Amino acid sequence: MIVEKEFKSETSSLDEIQDFISKTAESSDIPENIVTKLNICTDEIVSNIIKYSSAEFVSLKMATSGESPVCTITYIDDGKPFDPVKDAAEFDASVPLEERGEGGMGIYIVKKMMKSVSYRREGNRNIFTISI
């Protein structure tokens, strides 16, 4: 099943986005532990889009199946080009908390929780995809 929905790129959309993911996953019998991981990653990804990209919209395309990967979510926005796979600050967990700079931890978490992450730019669109 493939479902797509567009949202305004604003903080007030986060609850609606989480609800979209949860309902789509529920209708596809995706286990709750996977839904939790998808929601954690989505919160990080969409929050970064809202905070840093100057995007007007973010569109989610969610594909579910009974095979591996169980779920793939593609985030499409019209913001500034940014490749979180290559351009995000590297997170070093060995550095003490008080010595860490800002950034990098969210994408680190996404990369650790997902089986795959990818980015591409098409025209004026960022296209970031996660799979679990």
Side-chain angles (χ1 to χ4, degrees):
M1 171 170 73
I2 298 175
V3 182
E4 189 168 359
K5 187 168 181 181
E6 188 173 296
F7 304 89
K8 290 182 182 178
S9 181
E10 52 191 42
T11 306
S12 62
S13 296
L14 284 170
D15 287 340
E16 188 180 354
I17 291 168
Q18 299 286 0
D19 190 49
F20 167 75
I21 290 171
S22 295
K23 286 182 178 174
T24 303
E26 181 181 315
S27 69
S28 298
D29 295 323
I30 304 280
E32 188 62 36
N33 65 319
I34 291 177
V35 176
T36 299
K37 289 179 181 183
L38 291 169
N39 278 323
I40 290 169
C41 291
T42 295
D43 186 64
E44 179 59 35
I45 294 163
V46 174
S47 292
N48 283 340
I49 292 169
I50 292 167
K51 190 172 183 180
Y52 300 113
S53 78
S54 301
E56 292 184 24
F57 76 89
V58 58
S59 179
L60 272 68
K61 181 195 262 185
M62 190 166 167
T64 59
S65 74
E67 301 173 14
S68 184
V70 173
C71 185
T72 298
I73 301 177
T74 301
Y75 308 83
I76 304 164
D77 70 79
D78 63 339
K80 299 175 201 167
F82 180 73
D83 181 348
V85 177
K86 292 181 183 174
D87 299 337
E90 274 304 311
F91 177 73
D92 184 353
S94 68
V95 176
L97 183 61
E98 59 276 359
E99 294 177 22
R100 292 182 193 162
E102 185 178 325
M105 188 173 187
I107 294 301
Y108 171 82
I109 290 169
V110 171
K111 288 178 180 179
K112 290 293 182 187
M113 289 182 143
M114 296 294 113
K115 286 183 180 176
S116 69
V117 298
S118 66
Y119 170 85
R120 69 184 189 278
R121 181 83 177 172
E122 288 184 8
N124 66 341
R125 306 265 196 260
N126 292 301
I127 302 170
F128 185 59
T129 302
I130 63 172
S131 294
I132 189 166

